[in-house]
Amino acid sequence: MTLPPPLDWQIAKIGPGQEVPPEHRVTRENWRLYPYSRWAFQHTRELVPSRALCRSTAPRRLDEGFVPLDDLPSVGDDAGGAISWAEFEAQTYTDAMLIIHNGTIIHERYYNGMTRHTPHHAFSVSKSFIGLLAESMIADDVLDKDAPVTTYVPELADSGFAKVDVHHLLDMTDGVAFDEDYANPGADVHRYSANYWTPALADGGVRAALARLTGRDHDPGSDFSYRTPVTDALGWVIARAGGKRLADLFYERMWQPAGCADEGHFLVDTAGDEIAASGLNTTARDMARLALLVSEGTGIPTAARASILSGGNRDLYAKSKYAERSRGSYGSQWWVAHDGFGSISALGVYGQRVHIETETGLIMIRFGSHPLASNLHTDGLHRRAFEALRNFLR
C-alpha cells in the first residue's frame, strides 16, 4: 500500500476569524483517521470527555545528556537499503521520540506541532500500564489474581467472563470471543469502540458492552488472543477492588510515584467510565517517567516488576497469530521478548510504542499518527532501529 508523505497538518494553521473548511474539520467520527489524526491525537480533550491526572506533588527531574543521533549507523529499511535516524522518524510518522539510556535522556525530538508539554493519545499503550497497576495491587494484597472476575464484578455473571479468573484477564487467556481485526470493517472491535466515543451508536457504555459479550472461543487458560475488551474488564475489576475510580487509583499508584510533571488524562466512555484499554494521554516525558517505574523498579512493589518481566505462557503465544512479532510472550498486559536485552514493550495503534530494555538501560518512547492502525507494518523497521541504537551506545 502506498502511503502519502508525512504532513504538517494542523487546524491551528487556519487564521483568526477564518472559517475552517468542512473537509478539514475534526469530529468524533473522523478523528482517528489520517490526516485528521495528525491534529486530533494531540487534542483528544477537545473531542472526547476526559478525567484529569493532575501534576504530581513531587515531579521527577529527568537528567539530560543529549547525543547526536545523526552519527548513528544507518537504520536498515524494509527494502534492504539504509536510512538515517531522522528518516526513520519521518517514515514512521513520528510526533514525539524520546530515548533514555541508563536513566538519562539522550535524544528528544518533536514533530507536527507537538511540544515537551503536549499530551498525546497513547491508545493501547494504556493496557500495559493498567497491567502494571493491577500487578501493584496484587503485590499489596488489594487484588487477588486467582479470584473469579465475578467476585469483583457480579454484573458479568451472565457473560463470557463468568468462569474467568483475574490472572486470565492479565494474560489475555480468558477465551471470550471477540474479533480484533482492525482491517475488517465488520469486526467486533469497531462496533465495540462506538461505546468509547460515539454516543449516537453507543448502548450503555463499555461496561454494558462487556456484559453483552457472551460467546467463548476456548476454555480459560488454554489459548492466548489479544483483545481490547479484556483490558476494559480488568479496569472494571481494578476499580471495584480498589474502591475508587480507575483514574484515582492510577494517580495514587502510578502517576504520583513516577513523579509525572505535567497534567495527563484518561478519556472516558459514553457512560462516563475511564477507558482502561486505550484512554491514557500523557506527554512524552511523563510516559518516560512511567516507563522508568518498570525499568528501575523503584516506586512499585518488587513483585509487580518481577511478574511483568517474567512474561506469560510462551507455548500459548507461539501458537498465536502474534508469534511473527517475536519468540516471546504476552503477560500482565505487556509484550515480553524473552531476549538477551530484557526487552518488554507497550504498543498502541497508529504508532504508539514504549520499549524498555532492562539489561541495556535503553528506553524508547514514541508517539505517532501513522495512517495505518496496526503496528505490524513497522515492527521490522523498529527492530532494526533498536539494533542500530544498541550498537551505537555500546
Side-chain angles (χ1 to χ4, degrees), residues 317-371:
Y317 186 89
K319 295 190 300 180
S320 77
K321 65 179 181 180
Y322 293 96
E324 63 183 276
R325 174 164 273 164
S326 71
R327 296 179 180 178
S329 69
Y330 188 88
S332 305
Q333 305 275 308
W334 287 81
W335 302 93
V336 183
H338 299 284
D339 57 14
F341 311 112
S343 301
I344 63 171
S345 298
L347 303 173
V349 289
Y350 302 111
Q352 322 319 315
R353 289 177 183 259
V354 173
H355 180 81
I356 302 170
E357 296 184 358
T358 57
E359 297 301 313
T360 67
L362 178 65
I363 296 174
M364 175 186 285
I365 308 296
R366 64 151 295 139
F367 288 125
S369 45
H370 200 285

Side-chain angles (χ1 to χ4, degrees), residues 127-357:
K127 291 180 171 69
S128 298
F129 289 98
I130 291 297
L132 175 59
L133 173 59
E135 290 289 2
S136 173
M137 293 171 66
I138 290 167
D140 288 341
D141 295 323
V142 178
L143 176 63
D144 182 358
K145 71 175 183 179
D146 296 317
V149 167
T150 51
T151 299
Y152 299 102
V153 187
E155 293 92 330
L156 293 176
D158 294 326
S159 76
F161 294 101
K163 297 183 180 181
V164 172
D165 295 339
V166 174
H167 67 88
H168 296 131
L169 297 183
L170 273 164
D171 295 347
M172 295 210 184
T173 58
D174 53 281
V176 175
F178 190 84
D179 182 0
E180 187 88 359
D181 183 2
Y182 301 106
N184 175 11
D188 296 333
V189 67
H190 300 301
R191 292 189 296 273
Y192 178 84
S193 64
N195 291 282
Y196 285 160
W197 32 65
T198 312
L201 300 177
D203 187 11
V206 165
R207 293 180 177 182
L210 290 171
R212 292 193 294 268
L213 295 178
T214 57
R216 295 197 54 80
D217 287 333
H218 55 79
D219 292 333
S222 64
D223 205 356
F224 159 70
S225 181
Y226 176 91
R227 287 144 300 129
T228 287
V230 180
T231 313
D232 287 326
L234 179 62
W236 196 357
V237 167
I238 288 171
R240 285 287 175 80
K244 297 179 180 179
R245 286 176 168 178
L246 184 65
D248 294 337
L249 291 167
F250 193 88
Y251 178 84
E252 293 171 6
R253 289 180 167 270
M254 303 286 107
W255 200 259
Q256 175 72 7
C260 292
D262 288 293
E263 183 175 295
H265 56 276
F266 265 101
L267 301 184
V268 299
D269 69 10
T270 54
D273 296 308
E274 293 92 341
I275 301 173
S278 62
L280 183 61
N281 287 250
T282 79
T283 64
R285 285 197 166 213
D286 280 343
M287 187 62 79
R289 291 179 173 98
L290 291 169
L292 285 165
L293 286 177
V294 184
S295 178
E296 297 175 344
T298 56
I300 58 172
T302 301
R305 180 178 187 268
S307 184
I308 288 170
L309 296 183
S310 67
N313 187 308
R314 298 183 70 176
D315 292 334
L316 296 184
Y317 186 89
K319 295 190 300 180
S320 77
K321 65 179 181 180
Y322 293 96
E324 63 183 276
R325 174 164 273 164
S326 71
R327 296 179 180 178
S329 69
Y330 188 88
S332 305
Q333 305 275 308
W334 287 81
W335 302 93
V336 183
H338 299 284
D339 57 14
F341 311 112
S343 301
I344 63 171
S345 298
L347 303 173
V349 289
Y350 302 111
Q352 322 319 315
R353 289 177 183 259
V354 173
H355 180 81
I356 302 170
E357 296 184 358

Side-chain angles (χ1 to χ4, degrees), residues 9-12 14 20-48:
W9 186 92
Q10 297 180 74
I11 291 295
I14 303 297
V20 179
E23 66 272 18
H24 286 174
R25 291 174 186 160
V26 182
T27 68
R28 285 192 181 186
E29 286 68 41
N30 68 20
W31 71 272
R32 289 168 294 155
L33 302 176
Y34 185 90
Y36 307 102
S37 57
R38 296 288 284 168
W39 181 88
F41 291 173
Q42 299 177 47
H43 297 84
T44 57
R45 298 193 84 172
E46 299 174 46
L47 299 162
V48 182

